Amino acid sequence: MPQIRPITDLRNTNEISDICHSSHEPVFITKNGYGDLVVMGIEVYEAMVEDAAADAAITQAEAQLKQGGRLYDAREALASLRRKHFGTL
């Protein structure tokens, strides 16, 4: 479950860091009762960026397919790559 903390808790940075790393989730910081910041561990951030990149690549591939893109059989594509890069089947 995500943690929601007031901005005054940022005075204790070690505690916020420990929460981020132990829960593997972002910590939401509020200011005057409203959402203001999100603090997260670097591992969570990197995973989020990787997921976003994969989602963008899938979306792009789907758009290309809708615009008349061509589907390839996986076995044929892999065989072609092996021939091209390794000279074998």
Side-chain angles (χ1 to χ4, degrees):
M1 176 173 281
Q3 294 262 344
I4 300 172
R5 297 297 193 93
I7 200 161
T8 55
D9 282 5
L10 287 180
R11 291 181 186 141
N12 189 352
T13 56
N14 288 330
E15 179 185 0
I16 298 294
S17 176
D18 291 343
I19 291 169
C20 288
H21 292 291
S22 66
S23 68
H24 301 286
E25 291 186 348
V27 175
F28 297 92
I29 306 297
T30 62
K31 184 176 180 182
N32 297 324
Y34 296 97
D36 188 48
L37 300 170
V38 176
V39 180
M40 65 182 79
I42 191 74
E43 304 88 11
V44 174
Y45 174 76
E46 288 174 346
M48 188 177 71
V49 168
E50 287 177 14
D51 289 347
D55 290 345
I58 290 168
T59 301
Q60 181 183 13
E62 289 173 340
Q64 288 175 350
L65 181 60
K66 285 181 182 177
Q67 294 175 355
R70 182 174 167 207
L71 290 177
Y72 295 92
D73 178 73
R75 288 186 180 94
E76 291 175 15
L78 290 173
S80 173
L81 289 170
R82 284 188 194 105
R83 281 192 302 274
K84 179 178 179 181
H85 295 286
F86 301 111
T88 63
L89 282 174

